[in-house]
Amino acid sequence: MSVTEHKVVVGATPHAEGDRIMQICNACRYCEGFCAVFPSMARRLTFSEADISYLANLCHNCGACYYACQYAPPHEFLVNVPRTFAEVRKETYKNYAWPKPMGALYDRNGLATALVTTLAVCAFLVGVFQMVSPAMLWGAHSGPGSFYKVIPHNTMVGIFGAAMAFVILAFVMGFRQFWADMEEKMGDFASPSTFWEAMWNVLTLKYLDGGGEGCTYPDEKPSFTRRTFHHLTFYGFMLCFAATTVGTFKHYILGWIAPYSLGSLTVVLGTLGGIGLLIGPAGLLWLKHKADPMLKDAKQRGMDDGFLALLFLTSLTGFLLLFVRETSWMGLTLTIHLGVVLGLFLMLPYGKFVHAIYRFAALVRYALERRRPNTNASFE
Ligand code: SF4
Ligand code: SF4
């Protein structure tokens, strides 16, 4: 049997394979200190589909348990937790997608991301070429309101406000179903101590430190490289979000109209965030392509690459806009940038971004479980 095969039961669903492997791990328990997955596993004697989805979303694919495992391929037990859980996570994203039929976008996610982004850019280009005079589009504008000579402020707010409302609704619906399937109460999710414990674990990427010496990714040697790139991506995204929030406050509360000066808080936050969104996604892409194929689900390459490429492109077009904003290229660059951002928004609920929602929910549940008596296991 090839070492690249990792399913004992040919045709087993990812959840069934996850169940099989967890039964073996629960008898072995060698990896108890590696991450949150194994203490949670040890609280159970049997594993429902919701349990397997929960455990899979606690796993961040570091590979430590694969490299440590005496039952990993070529052993006949073929235990491969990281790859199996990667497959389960994709099923989770599909199952909890809202509206449900949109879950199909996960099957060819790279193609879907490319198509949606291309269509969004084309829609913006067609709209601008139809509605804006060539003199206005190709003119060099400066000062407050120059962007809105090409695309009116209300049009931007209408398009992105509607897209954001839909994205938030899709996230809420997916999360609600995920949380309900785990048979947890909604009130417990908002319990301050567990919520902040999970939030702290997210903000510090606690489980990407491999217990202190770095995680075994992209290969067996421990390293903090993945955590560094992940942090750059996460905080880059949050800084760009903060820049947009500050800009909105200035527009509506202070009456200060964009574009803002290079030294303004909005531009500084956006620039720092943009740098994070160039280096972080590029680094994660590089690591993913170097990573041990045994850890990965090859079918998800398009989803991973598509999301990271879209983040990179959003930042790149944002910087281009910053450089050309007082030249005749501003109109075209702004149009393309907004098209890319719209593509990113529309694919947020149907791409890799959703791992943030389900992993956070899983971490909150883990924090809740840690506060409950453990009747099944001797370790925590
Ligand atoms: S991954 Fe392997 S070594 Fe680790 S608990 Fe499971 S069976 Fe044991
Ligand atoms: S791959 Fe890493 S995070 Fe996932 S279960 Fe194994 S040790 Fe835990």
Side-chain angles (χ1 to χ4, degrees):
M1 185 173 281
S2 157
V3 294
T4 57
E5 290 179 56
H6 77 118
K7 285 181 184 169
V8 165
V9 184
V10 175
T13 65
H15 280 82
E17 177 66 357
D19 181 24
R20 182 188 75 82
I21 286 178
M22 284 297 100
Q23 299 286 354
I24 297 170
C25 291
N26 218 1
C28 166
R29 298 190 176 182
Y30 177 77
C31 299
E32 60 178 307
F34 285 2
C35 67
V37 169
F38 295 96
S40 301
M41 169 200 76
R43 289 176 163 265
R44 293 162 170 82
L45 296 176
T46 57
F47 301 93
S48 66
E49 281 221 355
D51 288 333
I52 296 297
S53 294
Y54 160 57
L55 295 172
N57 280 284
L58 275 182
C59 168
H60 53 80
N61 200 247
C62 74
C65 60
Y66 173 77
Y67 293 120
C69 186
Q70 61 272 42
Y71 303 120
H75 189 281
E76 61 182 337
F77 286 1
L78 296 175
V79 171
N80 186 337
V81 179
R83 193 198 281 181
T84 301
F85 276 177
E87 293 175 357
V88 172
R89 280 194 296 278
K90 184 181 146 198
E91 290 304 303
T92 311
Y93 306 157
K94 282 178 72 175
N95 292 343
Y96 294 108
W98 184 90
K100 183 88 176 159
M102 298 297 272
L105 290 179
Y106 283 103
D107 287 329
R108 303 195 69 187
N109 198 260
L111 181 65
T113 302
L115 275 177
V116 167
T117 308
T118 305
L119 283 174
V121 171
C122 289
F124 262 97
L125 285 170
V126 169
V128 164
F129 280 114
Q130 289 287 323
M131 293 159 87
V132 181
S133 70
M136 200 57 82
L137 177 60
W138 298 108
H141 310 287
S142 61
S146 60
F147 291 159
Y148 308 135
K149 289 176 182 159
V150 179
I151 302 177
H153 181 260
N154 286 345
T155 305
M156 287 192 205
V157 171
I159 292 171
F160 287 98
M164 204 57 203
F166 175 76
V167 166
I168 291 170
L169 181 62
F171 284 158
V172 169
M173 298 302 280
F175 159 75
R176 267 185 50 178
Q177 194 58 50
F178 182 68
W179 195 250
D181 283 355
M182 290 193 295
E183 299 179 354
E184 295 288 353
K185 294 188 196 117
M186 197 52 78
D188 288 342
F189 178 77
S191 159
S193 63
T194 48
F195 187 90
W196 287 113
E197 180 183 317
M199 183 62 83
W200 181 250
N201 290 339
V202 168
L203 294 177
T204 58
L205 290 178
K206 173 176 163 55
Y207 294 106
L208 277 179
D209 73 354
E213 57 178 9
C215 80
T216 49
Y217 191 96
D219 54 34
E220 208 165 342
K221 195 167 151 229
S223 154
F224 288 104
T225 315
R226 186 184 183 203
R227 186 164 81 162
T228 304
F229 286 135
H230 202 297
H231 264 146
L232 283 166
T233 306
F234 176 78
Y235 286 107
F237 190 89
M238 295 312 287
L239 283 170
C240 289
F241 183 72
T244 308
T245 306
V246 171
T248 305
F249 179 83
K250 284 182 179 173
H251 185 95
Y252 287 107
I253 307 297
L254 304 178
W256 300 351
I257 308 300
Y260 304 110
S261 68
L262 293 180
S264 67
L265 183 61
T266 319
V267 176
V268 170
L269 289 173
T271 302
L272 292 174
I275 291 169
L277 283 183
L278 285 179
I279 301 172
L284 287 174
L285 264 174
W286 170 66
L287 281 182
K288 274 188 186 300
H289 285 265
K290 275 181 64 178
D292 185 341
M294 286 302 286
L295 305 181
K296 301 187 285 191
D297 173 14
K299 290 187 194 143
Q300 293 182 42
R301 185 172 164 178
M303 176 168 71
D304 293 343
D305 290 1
F307 178 60
L308 291 169
L310 202 44
L311 285 175
F312 184 88
L313 208 53
T314 301
S315 179
L316 185 68
T317 53
F319 274 117
L320 282 176
L321 180 60
L322 186 64
F323 293 136
V324 304
R325 66 183 187 169
E326 293 190 352
T327 74
S328 58
W329 288 98
M330 180 272 283
L332 183 64
T333 312
L334 174 69
T335 307
I336 292 172
H337 176 62
L338 292 180
V340 172
V341 175
L342 183 62
L344 176 71
F345 269 41
L346 294 177
M347 287 307 290
L348 284 180
Y350 309 114
K352 183 71 180 182
F353 185 87
V354 292
H355 84 285
I357 307 290
Y358 299 121
R359 179 150 304 147
F360 182 65
L363 283 168
V364 173
R365 193 195 194 198
Y366 176 62
L368 282 169
E369 282 194 340
R370 275 167 27 93
R371 286 158 175 76
R372 295 171 183 156
N374 182 359
T375 52
N376 289 334
S378 57
F379 65 80
E380 175 79 9

